[in-house]
Amino acid sequence: MCGIIGYTGPLSAKRVLLDGLSQLEYRGYDSSGIGFFDSDFSVKVIKTTGKVARLKELCRDVPEEVHCGLGHTRWATHGGVTQENSHPHQAGRVTLIHNGIIENCHQLTTDYHLEGKLRSQTDSEVAAWVLDALYDGEPLSSIRRLIPLLKGSYGFCILFSDHPGEIYAVRNVSPLVAAYTRSGSVIASDLTALIPYTRSYTVVPEGFVVKLTPYRMTFYDEEGNQTNAETMEVNWDTDSARKNGFPHFMLKEIHEQPEALKNTILPRLTQGLPDFKADGIGDELFRECSRIRIVACGTAMHAGMVGRALMEPLLRIPVQVSVASEFRYEDPVIGEDTLTIVISQSGETIDTLAALRLARERGSRVLSIVNVKGSTIARESDYVLYTHAGPEIAVASTKAYSVQLAALYLLLCRMALVRGKMTREEGKEFVKDLLDAVPAMDAMIGQSDVIKTVVRPVVSRQDAFFIGRNLDYAFSLEGALKLKEISYIHADAYAAGELKHGTIALIADQVPVIALATQDSVFSKTISNVREVKARGAYVILIAKESAPVETGAADAVIRIPDLHDRFTVFPIAVVLQLIAYHASVLKGVDVDQPRNLAKSVTVE
Ligand code: M6R
């Protein structure tokens, strides 16, 4: 969850590290710090609680002539948000930053008699002291001796005080990408920090140690042999990780959705039908499975819920969705006949990764829908369908959700064709309807000001409810998550017909109810439920199709979406729900892009 960066080279390390931390701040923003070789070759550390902006203030006097250092932005796990618990941690000749969790830190504390030495409550400082105890002046072999002692996940970047100008790094599960460029060597937890310097990068292989100097980057395998690692190309540009005139990343990313959708769909069409040959996915995968499990977390799981609601009725095979963190406790019935679809924007979510591993252990083939190229989930899956949303920086997921849906719709269509549940003509019609969703999203982005006006009365409320039936219910789950995570208004989604079984007791004067009624087959039933809450004083925002017959007075505000086939209304709906949350957050004056307690990439269980 933490953001880490290391740099050694001719540029000002202070600039590279602080700029990099600003790019990485979305990974964690409880505290931040840098460690660097000063002009007298000693290692200095500056760290503070709070955002990177505060660290920048504290670093004003760090000379530009500093050329090698590490930077860290923290999402607290072990130990509270204090300066002592901030990274880097120093232990003897070792200065270290860490992303991940060392599960056996207490045992290591005992084994290495560290009780009197530790200044923080962090597992990371324990690792630093153990490494210092193992250190014999030879960084590579010392790190290799450390690796088998550690249980858990880690991405470490390390300075040894007697090796100025050098950075060493190693990882297990937690991501690290590195590059040697004309401007020096740079390593980070995330590509966004690398793209100002290079388009080529290497995902540090797990268990390998990498040594960075201003002149080269060298990889060493598990046996300590110098080796090569695969170089990859970044598939997005520097601009995509900047705000480009938008006040918030979230708003920018909402606006990017129509383009992202096209980028994900169009390259996968042959003669108007989905085709995954270029992704290396053959039709036998779809023909041979007799059940589907979808596993993901948060927003990605909500995309899966939409996928499920479409797949089972059309494909006529059981399709189940599981929250990744619960998957192993379900002791799932899966085997060779199961296709497991794993969905993850970052490709690093540890719960999702653990579920993927369990599914593969049980013989299931795993197809993942992932946004970040070369991520752990992508590399461990049997098949990968990359979404092409570009980097998503706002913690609240927006464009990643839309492209995950687009990928699921393409999969659904191909599976239905292969399994004889759709003719080619029906398939082409399906794809055409899917593409019609692109201008429909644009149309709703154009309604932003209207949405802002109808959201105003919601902002002063403590609770809000999202209701809908069938697909609308699946969509409303995401609406509730979006609202609560960035506006801190408690929000829940309910199947509209379920309210009368208890929840309607909470509906009172002016309680906001966002009602989704975009499914023709259940429209009148949902409207009946809207009447029930309206009669009890709720403030109702109704979202319905352009041509839907809504009586005057049925709701306090009606947001109309373009008339699409029922299956595809999620795309304009997603924009509406995202804008409801966005405006609520802005009107409340809270941090839209970095909501409290959250981080973008969740690499702890
Ligand atoms: O990177 P992932 O898609 O695996 O992340 C899963 C969730 O943590 C993520 O979707 C989260 O719920 C969103 N940030 C919410 O907006």
Side-chain angles (χ1 to χ4, degrees):
M1 322 264 288
C2 304
I4 65 183
I5 179 164
Y7 171 77
T8 179
L11 304 178
S12 155
K14 174 170 85 165
R15 297 268 149 251
V16 176
L17 299 178
L18 293 177
D19 289 352
L21 289 180
S22 297
Q23 297 285 339
L24 293 170
E25 199 173 18
Y26 70 115
R27 293 185 68 95
Y29 30 86
D30 291 332
S31 60
S32 57
I34 61 170
F36 55 90
F37 284 100
D38 211 345
S39 42
D40 62 357
F41 299 116
S42 63
V43 180
K44 299 267 162 46
V45 165
I46 301 176
K47 54 189 187 176
T48 179
T49 53
K51 298 230 169 168
V52 173
R54 192 186 291 176
L55 179 69
K56 285 184 176 170
E57 288 285 305
L58 294 175
C59 291
R60 253 199 320 249
D61 297 334
V62 174
E64 302 295 329
E65 291 70 37
V66 162
H67 292 293
C68 175
L70 311 173
H72 186 273
T73 176
R74 179 170 185 246
W75 188 83
T77 54
H78 282 59
V81 181
T82 64
Q83 207 223 0
E84 294 71 39
N85 291 338
S86 312
H87 299 220
H89 291 286
Q90 290 193 287
R93 285 174 290 178
V94 170
T95 300
L96 163 151
I97 53 175
H98 171 217
N99 171 29
I101 288 191
I102 305 302
E103 291 164 9
N104 58 335
C105 64
H106 298 299
Q107 189 59 47
L108 290 169
T109 303
T110 310
D111 293 351
Y112 284 82
H113 312 292
L114 301 179
E115 288 83 1
K117 289 184 169 173
L118 296 172
R119 289 174 293 242
S120 75
Q121 290 94 49
T122 65
D123 51 337
S124 315
E125 193 192 357
V126 172
W129 280 111
V130 175
L131 180 57
D132 182 61
L134 299 172
Y135 186 51
D136 56 4
E138 213 342 289
L140 289 171
S141 54
S142 311
I143 294 171
R144 283 193 22 246
R145 284 198 296 280
L146 173 71
I147 293 171
L149 302 178
L150 302 177
K151 289 205 177 92
S153 60
Y154 49 84
F156 290 125
C157 289
I158 309 156
L159 303 178
F160 292 91
S161 57
D162 49 350
H163 285 256
E166 296 174 3
I167 297 171
Y168 293 82
V170 66
R171 78 178 191 99
N172 180 47
V173 185
S174 304
L176 274 180
V177 286
Y180 170 66
T181 79
R182 266 188 267 163
S183 317
S185 298
V186 55
I187 185 162
S189 49
D190 198 313
L191 270 181
T192 49
L194 253 54
I195 50 171
Y197 310 100
T198 183
R199 298 196 64 76
S200 306
Y201 67 98
T202 301
V203 177
V204 177
E206 280 179 301
F208 281 33
V209 179
V210 55
K211 172 181 173 184
L212 291 93
T213 72
Y215 318 106
R216 64 186 306 191
M217 174 171 82
T218 318
F219 291 91
Y220 299 88
D221 66 16
E222 285 93 340
E223 276 75 48
N225 302 313
Q226 197 171 317
T227 185
N228 292 324
E230 191 194 346
T231 303
M232 304 177 91
E233 288 298 308
V234 180
N235 55 354
W236 28 268
D237 57 29
T238 329
D239 264 7
S240 47
R242 299 192 196 286
K243 283 190 197 149
N244 295 340
F246 285 91
H248 301 102
F249 278 111
M250 184 182 178
L251 189 62
K252 171 178 172 258
E253 288 159 7
I254 289 173
H255 278 249
E256 285 172 345
Q257 291 180 106
E259 202 51 38
L261 216 67
K262 282 191 268 176
N263 292 341
T264 300
I265 299 170
L266 294 178
R268 297 192 166 103
L269 296 182
T270 305
Q271 295 176 348
L273 291 171
D275 175 358
F276 302 117
K277 276 200 204 77
D279 299 289
I281 306 173
D283 283 344
E284 61 289 347
L285 181 68
F286 305 134
R287 203 175 286 120
E288 286 163 10
C289 67
S290 54
R291 64 175 82 199
I292 296 175
R293 288 300 281 244
I294 301 177
V295 193
C297 299
T299 294
M301 194 268 292
H302 292 157
M305 296 286 280
V306 177
R308 196 217 72 80
L310 290 163
M311 281 174 172
E312 193 164 285
L314 183 61
L315 302 177
R316 307 309 308 157
I317 54 174
V319 183
Q320 256 177 289
V321 182
S322 296
V323 173
S325 56
E326 288 292 311
F327 188 59
R328 74 191 85 161
Y329 315 127
E330 289 169 8
D331 195 5
V333 181
I334 43 176
E336 285 171 15
D337 65 333
T338 314
L339 170 62
T340 303
I341 300 178
V342 162
I343 310 174
S344 174
Q345 187 283 129
S346 62
E348 302 293 349
T349 302
I350 198 98
D351 289 322
T352 310
L353 180 63
L356 176 158
R357 288 177 176 163
L358 176 66
R360 292 196 72 201
E361 253 169 54
R362 297 202 172 175
S364 168
R365 277 183 289 179
V366 173
L367 185 161
S368 63
I369 297 174
V370 174
N371 196 41
V372 178
K373 213 168 147 186
S375 54
T376 313
I377 288 177
R379 283 181 293 106
E380 293 203 13
S381 300
D382 298 297
Y383 306 93
V384 187
L385 209 54
Y386 280 113
T387 51
H388 299 304
E392 192 180 62
I393 307 291
V395 166
S397 196
T398 54
K399 60 179 179 173
Y401 174 67
S402 306
V403 292
Q404 285 160 356
L405 289 167
L408 285 165
Y409 277 68
L410 290 176
L411 278 176
L412 169 70
C413 184
R414 187 78 213 168
M415 286 178 101
L417 287 163
V418 170
R419 300 177 73 95
K421 303 291 181 195
M422 225 184 229
T423 64
R424 285 177 70 81
E425 274 52 52
E426 286 166 340
K428 285 182 183 169
E429 195 57 30
F430 182 97
V431 170
K432 193 187 142 301
D433 286 342
L434 176 60
L435 290 172
D436 282 347
V438 175
M441 291 183 106
D442 268 323
M444 298 326 292
I445 290 170
Q447 295 290 306
S448 184
D449 286 343
V450 176
I451 294 171
K452 183 176 180 179
T453 310
V454 306
V455 163
R456 226 171 255 284
V458 177
V459 172
S460 56
R461 310 301 306 188
Q462 302 264 325
D463 308 287
F465 297 90
F466 288 72
I467 60 169
R469 283 172 182 259
N470 191 10
L471 276 170
D472 280 330
Y473 169 58
F475 310 158
S476 64
L477 293 167
E478 178 58 7
L481 175 63
K482 239 22 6 135
L483 185 67
K484 62 189 149 196
E485 76 176 319
I486 59 167
S487 76
Y488 315 147
I489 296 169
H490 164 251
D492 263 324
Y494 287 93
E498 182 65 13
L499 281 187
K500 57 187 175 292
H501 299 289
T503 308
I504 202 161
L506 297 172
I507 305 296
D509 209 27
Q510 292 304 303
V511 170
V513 175
I514 294 98
L516 281 60
T518 71
Q519 302 298 297
D520 293 346
S521 58
V522 290
F523 178 78
S524 47
K525 284 201 193 317
T526 307
I527 292 297
S528 300
N529 301 132
V530 168
R531 280 201 199 96
E532 289 157 14
V533 293
K534 190 80 193 83
R536 286 158 178 85
Y539 170 73
V540 177
I541 302 174
L542 175 66
I543 308 172
K545 285 185 191 168
E546 196 62 62
S547 60
V550 179
E551 290 165 21
T552 322
D556 296 273
V558 183
I559 298 172
R560 298 282 188 173
I561 63 160
D563 279 333
L564 297 176
H565 184 293
D566 280 8
R567 278 184 187 141
F568 303 92
T569 59
V570 68
F571 295 97
I573 286 275
V575 173
V576 174
L577 298 177
Q578 292 159 2
L579 286 172
I580 287 177
Y582 173 76
H583 288 302
S585 179
V586 173
L587 289 166
K588 279 192 80 166
V590 295
D591 194 332
V592 174
D593 285 335
Q594 294 177 349
R596 68 183 177 213
N597 305 339
L598 294 175
K600 184 68 183 164
S601 175
V602 185
T603 51
V604 295
E605 282 181 270

